[in-house]
Amino acid sequence: MSTHEAFMQRAIDISREALTKPGCNPFGAVVVRDGVIVGEGLNHAGAHFDPTSHGEVEAIRDACRRLECLELKDCDLYTSCEPCALCVATMSVVGIRKLYYAASLDQSGAALSSALRPAIDVAKVRSEAGRAAHDRDMPAEQIGASAALEILDAWAKSKQAPA
């Protein structure tokens, strides 16, 4: 078994835990750096009442805590299913170097269409995530920008290196 296959097998084994863990969905992931697993995650959305508790996000959270960092630019992610837009966004924020996945979104969606409630419209989520707030289907209104910007500016100034 190749190293890639071993890491993928671990992600799939983690996803299998959902068969016996209440409130878990069968999505597992691992984050790998320099040939070592530094983070693992299982989708605990139902168990934690947390719609962001996807396997990939949990693996990234675990890796960041273990490594005490917010960037994973030298890490790869292996996941049992192709990540949704939420997970892709999280992977992009931390800079995951490469993604390896087993089942595609279409394959996992077809397999789980009768089991996941509410059903997730993957195409809509992808479309909405890439649009500006005022262009999305969900109504949005901007309020209090000047007060928020004052805080952002003050925080940014406090982080600047002295000249």
Side-chain angles (χ1 to χ4, degrees):
M1 178 182 299
S2 77
T3 304
H4 291 301
E5 289 170 335
F7 293 138
M8 184 58 70
Q9 187 59 55
R10 179 62 188 142
I12 292 169
D13 289 344
I14 292 168
S15 76
R16 186 176 287 112
E17 294 176 23
L19 297 174
T20 58
K21 286 188 175 181
C24 293
N25 295 326
F27 303 102
V30 296
V31 174
V32 175
R33 183 173 80 174
D34 297 328
V36 176
I37 294 175
V38 295
E40 296 188 342
L42 173 65
N43 181 309
H44 287 91
H48 296 163
F49 300 101
D50 178 356
T52 68
S53 181
H54 292 195
E56 298 88 344
V57 173
E58 291 299 326
I60 289 168
R61 289 173 178 163
D62 187 37
C64 287
R65 279 190 296 265
R66 287 187 196 193
L67 300 173
E68 297 182 349
C69 68
L70 296 175
E71 285 189 353
L72 301 173
K73 292 180 190 263
D74 56 350
C75 296
D76 300 325
L77 190 138
Y78 294 77
T79 180
S80 61
C81 293
E82 179 183 356
C84 70
L86 168 76
C87 296
V88 170
T90 305
M91 293 164 56
S92 295
V93 166
V94 299
I96 290 292
R97 179 176 53 200
K98 186 168 183 178
L99 165 68
Y100 299 89
Y101 65 95
S104 72
L105 272 175
D106 290 339
Q107 291 169 324
S108 62
L112 300 176
S113 64
S114 64
L116 287 180
R117 294 287 177 244
I120 298 169
D121 183 343
V122 173
K124 182 176 181 177
V125 172
R126 280 182 171 168
S127 172
E128 289 287 295
R131 293 162 58 193
H134 61 274
D135 290 333
R136 294 183 190 132
D137 290 343
M138 178 194 309
E141 182 177 344
Q142 186 174 13
I143 300 171
S146 61
L149 287 169
E150 284 178 29
I151 294 168
L152 294 172
D153 288 340
W155 186 89
K157 286 178 185 168
S158 75
K159 301 299 178 189
Q160 291 176 351

